[in-house]
Amino acid sequence: MSSVSDYQRSKVYAAEDAAFDKRKPPAIPELHEVRAYMDMVIASQHWTKHKGWQRVRLEDGRGRRSACYRSHKRSIAMPTWARSEWIVIHEMAHCLTHRTTGAASSHGTHFTWHYLMLVLELLGQEAHDALAEQFIGKGVKWHNLG
């Protein structure tokens, strides 16, 4: 995706690198555990309030260089190295943004707001504040959808 259409992508990734430790081993290494965590996201108050889809497919992402949300399949692919809570939340935030705005692939202001709110609910205030602080420091914008 070009930087013109996804102007915040590199800033979001830089903020994540600073807020979360990617060197730690995956916290949810098994695919069935990723599915259970996705179900927690789907059951969250934020997801429910914004009428997120109740079914999101999970694909084994082995062989992929990165995790991703595939809007045409309404699925996320999770390589083994990426199976941590915050990466699942990141990909699920793409899914929720797709549902609420029709734009799934960008890291725009609606995505970053959904991401922050899901982090707050599922990972807690400290993780939210760390990510929000890095968003501010890296110039990442978000739009409060209420």
Side-chain angles (χ1 to χ4, degrees):
M1 177 161 299
S2 75
S3 59
V4 173
S5 62
D6 197 0
Y7 67 98
Q8 293 198 123
R9 181 179 184 183
S10 62
K11 293 176 184 179
V12 168
Y13 291 164
E16 289 175 331
D17 286 345
F20 303 116
D21 188 355
K22 286 187 176 180
R23 296 170 305 218
K24 288 171 51 175
I28 42 179
E30 300 297 328
L31 208 56
H32 72 276
E33 295 171 305
V34 174
R35 174 77 257 169
Y37 198 78
M38 288 171 61
D39 291 342
M40 285 178 52
V41 175
I42 290 169
S44 71
Q45 290 179 7
H46 184 78
W47 190 276
T48 302
K49 177 181 177 181
H50 293 280
K51 298 177 176 60
W53 285 301
Q54 294 302 297
R55 295 193 43 88
V56 178
R57 293 181 57 213
L58 172 62
E59 298 177 18
D60 188 336
R62 283 182 286 193
R64 290 190 51 85
R65 292 178 54 181
S66 62
C68 72
Y69 171 66
R70 295 177 173 151
S71 59
H72 65 287
K73 293 182 174 184
R74 199 183 317 151
S75 68
I76 66 170
M78 296 298 296
T80 304
W81 72 265
R83 295 176 185 171
S84 63
E85 291 90 348
W86 67 270
I87 296 175
V88 173
I89 292 169
H90 176 117
E91 298 309 329
M92 293 295 284
H94 281 299
C95 181
L96 186 55
T97 304
H98 179 206
R99 174 75 169 132
T100 60
T101 70
S105 60
S106 78
H107 296 81
T109 59
H110 293 131
F111 162 80
T112 49
W113 183 73
H114 282 309
Y115 185 21
L116 279 171
M117 295 302 97
L118 289 169
V119 166
L120 176 62
E121 183 173 349
L122 297 162
L123 298 181
Q125 190 71 52
E126 186 176 328
H128 169 272
D129 292 352
L131 185 57
E133 179 181 320
Q134 291 303 319
F135 276 2
I136 292 166
K138 307 288 188 226
V140 175
K141 307 291 185 218
W142 62 87
H143 179 76
N144 186 334
L145 301 174

